[in-house]
Amino acid sequence: MTVRGGTVLAGVLRTTRRSLLLWALAVAAVTALYTAFYPSVGGGQMDAMLESMPSEFITAMGFDSMTTAAGYVTSTVYALLGAVLTLVCAIGLGARLVAGQEEDGTLELELSAPVSRRRIYAERLTALWLTVLVLVLALSASLGVLSAALELGLSATNVAAASTGLLLFGGALGTVAFAVGAATGRRGIALGAAAAAAVAAYLLSYLSPIAEAPWMERISPFHWYIGAEPLATGFDWPGLALLAGLAVLAALGGAAAFARRDLMV
Amino acid sequence: MTPAIRVHGLVKDYGRTRALHGVDLEVRAGEVFGFLGPNGSGKSTTIRVLMDLLRPTAGSVEVFGTAPAAGGPGLRARIGYLPGELSFPARMSAGEYLAYLAALRGGRGRRRTGELAERLSLDLSRPLRALSKGNKQKVGLVQAFMHDPELLVLDEPTSGLDPLLQREFLLLAREAGAGGATVFLSSHMLQEVEEVAGRVAIIREGRVVDLDDVRALRARAGQQVLLRFADPVPLAEFVGLPGVENAVLDPSDGVTLTCLLRGDPMPLLTAAARHRVVRWQAEDRELEDLFLDFYRQPAEPTGPARPAPGAGATEVGR
């Protein structure tokens, strides 16, 4: 008798469901909070506020288009707090799902069960992506409800485009943490590598216009995600493809190393 | 018949540290086999190679005739494994976790969990985090035995169990053995395995230094004997008796004789009976004493590998 597909996935989700619910509520709440402020700070007031700021600061923070609803929600939710929360959750979980549970020993009985390493890897990675998907859906739902209630005029297609970008951005960096953890068995290394990649992605994207160095944007996953302002312009296929490519590369590299190395060392 | 476990020249390095220096081992199908060694001697490393958690640096390992990495899930389905150190996920009850582990075996073992939990008096509804060390060990034992595996690989199975539950465990192991299963259990104490095991291998510093029938090993280990007489006795009557070693007479009183007895006790008893004996004490020697013997007698190989005193976790030079 062999194990039914999804058994490992279901086991992981059972232990993480409570914290996943809390994360989803937090993301939805933060999204609602920022979006609800738009009518009071948007439009004319925002122009006045921005005039008092140095132009380099405005460029660096991506506040150029804060006067439109799409620009405001992009700057506050998609580029800032929504993305940070999603990243923290995805990277933390990614580092824990193999490396963390290997280090604390809870993975030993699963690894010695009649389940292949490849399947453990695949189903645990699926759990990571489902988690990020739930967060992004919570964010999108919260935004959708408020957009309709406050008549912000955000198109559903564009919300889907920006949310798809966030799913791939958070999922890709979470996958980096997961893969590095699966390759090394060290949670600290996994966290460090993925967090460094995330910070570098932000810095490259923000500094690029100031340094007038377009190559910096081109190699930044953050720019791949948000650079084309999908909430205003819709699906940015090249950017999404780059993010998906990063995720696939990381996943395959991690899988190859995980299949070969010593576990529970 | 294919042996259940065959390990030949197994070497395992962790980075630059060599943990196993060429382990040789053969466990016949259907036997209960003890794997003895002090902590840090390489027991768990050997076991983790059997479970395909670790990959050999050199040498060959076969479980039921197949290398663990090649056998994969199909091979592990035939094994019940108890790790030396157990940690469980948070926020699950013992029953939920056992159901999950059974699900990983395609549902095999679900039927027996209740019965095994009852025998070990384990409350399945308790959350794993709240379990004491002994109760955690019970969860580990239940999951190892629940699917009636052909091979049980048990790393320190009785650690944390009180004497009553140790008994219950020995019964379980004996039943599994009687049912045709092979049992491979490790321990750092000879007395823990001698009641149940037929043969025993002793591992020390990454090498199997002895492999023998448990009774022969016990006989060879001998007993530490203390005799007290009513009146002083001449030491010469005891030195050189067959099976008697290290005979010493306490110089302060001349009436207390200590010696190491190996094999037949009759010559010693006969010699002692010529005098009035007021006290007789004989203690089985423990594994640690056996290891001391290996240090003292490096030129007396009894197993497939030669004892190698002082060959610790040596650096692999580069």
Side-chain angles (χ1 to χ4, degrees), chain B residues 153-178:
Chain B
V153 176
L154 311 171
D155 197 353
E156 303 267 358
T158 51
S159 84
L161 295 183
D162 61 44
L164 210 66
L165 286 160
Q166 290 192 15
R167 283 251 73 91
E168 195 59 43
F169 162 73
L170 289 176
L171 276 177
L172 277 174
R174 216 170 271 148
E175 279 174 24

Side-chain angles (χ1 to χ4, degrees), chain A residues 176-199:
Chain A
V176 168
F178 181 89
V180 171
T184 60
R186 296 283 172 265
R187 180 167 164 270
I189 296 176
L191 276 179
V199 170

Side-chain angles (χ1 to χ4, degrees), chain A residues 75-115:
Chain A
S75 296
T76 55
V77 176
Y78 278 103
L80 210 61
L81 268 162
V84 168
L85 284 176
T86 307
L87 280 182
V88 168
C89 177
I91 291 175
L93 183 65
R96 197 165 60 243
L97 276 175
V98 172
Q101 300 210 347
E102 191 183 335
E103 275 184 343
D104 69 23
T106 51
L107 210 53
E108 185 158 12
L109 287 176
E110 186 173 308
L111 289 168
S112 55
V115 189

Side-chain angles (χ1 to χ4, degrees), chain A residues 106-202:
Chain A
T106 51
L107 210 53
E108 185 158 12
L109 287 176
E110 186 173 308
L111 289 168
S112 55
V115 189
S116 68
R117 289 189 188 185
R118 194 185 305 169
R119 169 170 262 166
I120 289 173
Y121 185 93
E123 293 199 8
R124 285 183 168 264
L125 183 58
T126 306
L128 171 68
W129 279 85
L130 280 180
T131 300
V132 179
L133 177 65
V134 168
L135 295 195
V136 171
L137 286 178
L139 184 152
S140 311
S142 175
L143 181 61
V145 167
L146 277 164
S147 169
L150 305 172
E151 293 170 2
L152 299 183
L154 300 172
S155 99
T157 312
N158 291 359
V159 170
S163 292
T164 305
L166 181 58
L167 170 67
L168 288 175
F169 180 57
L173 283 161
T175 302
V176 168
F178 181 89
V180 171
T184 60
R186 296 283 172 265
R187 180 167 164 270
I189 296 176
L191 276 179
V199 170
Y202 265 84

Side-chain angles (χ1 to χ4, degrees), chain B residues 102-147:
Chain B
L104 289 179
R105 299 189 172 276
R108 274 179 63 204
R110 194 168 295 147
R111 269 182 313 120
R112 266 201 92 185
T113 38
E115 173 220 322
L116 287 166
E118 201 162 309
R119 281 184 67 172
L120 295 166
S121 47
L122 168 70
D123 182 357
L124 289 175
S125 64
R126 305 247 332 254
L128 290 164
R129 272 295 144 95
L131 295 182
S132 67
K133 189 169 186 305
N135 277 318
K136 283 185 177 158
Q137 193 69 4
K138 293 180 198 171
V139 176
L141 285 171
V142 171
Q143 64 83 32
F145 279 89
M146 65 182 180
H147 54 289

Side-chain angles (χ1 to χ4, degrees), chain B:
Chain B
M1 194 172 180
T2 317
I5 297 173
R6 222 172 63 99
V7 176
H8 185 68
L10 175 63
V11 174
K12 181 65 201 171
D13 294 340
Y14 292 122
R16 294 168 61 96
T17 308
R18 180 153 287 186
L20 300 179
H21 293 260
V23 169
D24 295 297
L25 207 60
E26 191 166 308
V27 180
R28 299 174 199 133
E31 79 173 318
V32 179
F33 192 95
F35 193 39
L36 286 175
N39 294 326
S41 57
K43 296 190 300 277
S44 295
T45 300
T46 308
I47 283 172
R48 283 178 169 165
V49 172
L50 296 177
M51 296 310 300
D52 192 35
L53 293 169
L54 304 177
R55 303 277 161 79
T57 304
S60 71
V61 176
E62 284 176 9
V63 178
F64 296 124
T66 313
L75 186 58
R76 288 198 294 276
R78 302 164 70 183
I79 308 176
Y81 170 53
L82 175 72
E85 272 176 45
L86 281 165
S87 354
F88 298 127
R91 296 193 206 93
M92 261 201 200
S93 73
E96 282 175 324
Y97 190 51
L98 287 167
Y100 173 60
L101 292 174
L104 289 179
R105 299 189 172 276
R108 274 179 63 204
R110 194 168 295 147
R111 269 182 313 120
R112 266 201 92 185
T113 38
E115 173 220 322
L116 287 166
E118 201 162 309
R119 281 184 67 172
L120 295 166
S121 47
L122 168 70
D123 182 357
L124 289 175
S125 64
R126 305 247 332 254
L128 290 164
R129 272 295 144 95
L131 295 182
S132 67
K133 189 169 186 305
N135 277 318
K136 283 185 177 158
Q137 193 69 4
K138 293 180 198 171
V139 176
L141 285 171
V142 171
Q143 64 83 32
F145 279 89
M146 65 182 180
H147 54 289
D148 293 317
E150 290 168 65
L151 171 64
L152 281 150
V153 176
L154 311 171
D155 197 353
E156 303 267 358
T158 51
S159 84
L161 295 183
D162 61 44
L164 210 66
L165 286 160
Q166 290 192 15
R167 283 251 73 91
E168 195 59 43
F169 162 73
L170 289 176
L171 276 177
L172 277 174
R174 216 170 271 148
E175 279 174 24
T182 308
V183 184
F184 182 76
L185 70 163
S186 85
S187 176
H188 59 278
M189 289 167 75
L190 178 57
Q191 74 189 59
E192 270 186 7
V193 304
E194 69 178 333
E195 280 189 61
V196 62
R199 290 194 307 149
V200 167
I202 293 182
I203 183 171
R204 169 176 187 89
E205 289 169 349
R207 278 185 183 86
V208 173
V209 293
D210 198 357
L211 198 158
D212 210 339
D213 191 84
V214 74
R215 264 196 226 111
L217 193 75
R218 176 50 88 195
R220 214 147 23 81
Q223 291 180 308
Q224 192 64 40
V225 174
L226 181 145
L227 282 161
R228 189 166 295 141
F229 300 95
D231 303 299
V233 293
L235 181 62
E237 287 183 24
F238 298 93
V239 173
L241 286 175
V244 173
E245 292 171 32
N246 306 341
V248 177
L249 204 53
D250 188 340
S252 63
D253 55 12
V255 298
T256 309
L257 179 89
T258 55
C259 66
L260 174 60
L261 174 65
R262 286 190 164 127
D264 190 3
M266 268 320 278
L268 176 63
L269 287 173
T270 314
R274 284 186 218 123
H275 307 273
R276 205 163 94 77
V277 179
V278 294
R279 184 167 152 77
W280 160 270
Q281 179 189 326
E283 268 179 6
D284 283 342
R285 292 168 81 234
E286 256 320 310
L287 200 60
E288 293 308 314
D289 303 314
L290 283 180
F291 290 136
L292 288 177
D293 291 350
F294 285 119
Y295 271 130
R296 281 198 289 262
Q297 303 164 358
E300 199 184 69
T302 40
R306 266 155 216 286
T314 44
E315 298 275 294
V316 181
R318 195 145 299 199

Side-chain angles (χ1 to χ4, degrees), chain A residues 34 36-47 49 66-67 72:
Chain A
Y34 273 90
F37 265 114
Y38 177 70
S40 51
V41 300
Q45 288 108 314
M46 187 65 86
D47 279 336
M49 191 175 85
M66 280 284 258
T67 48
Y72 172 83

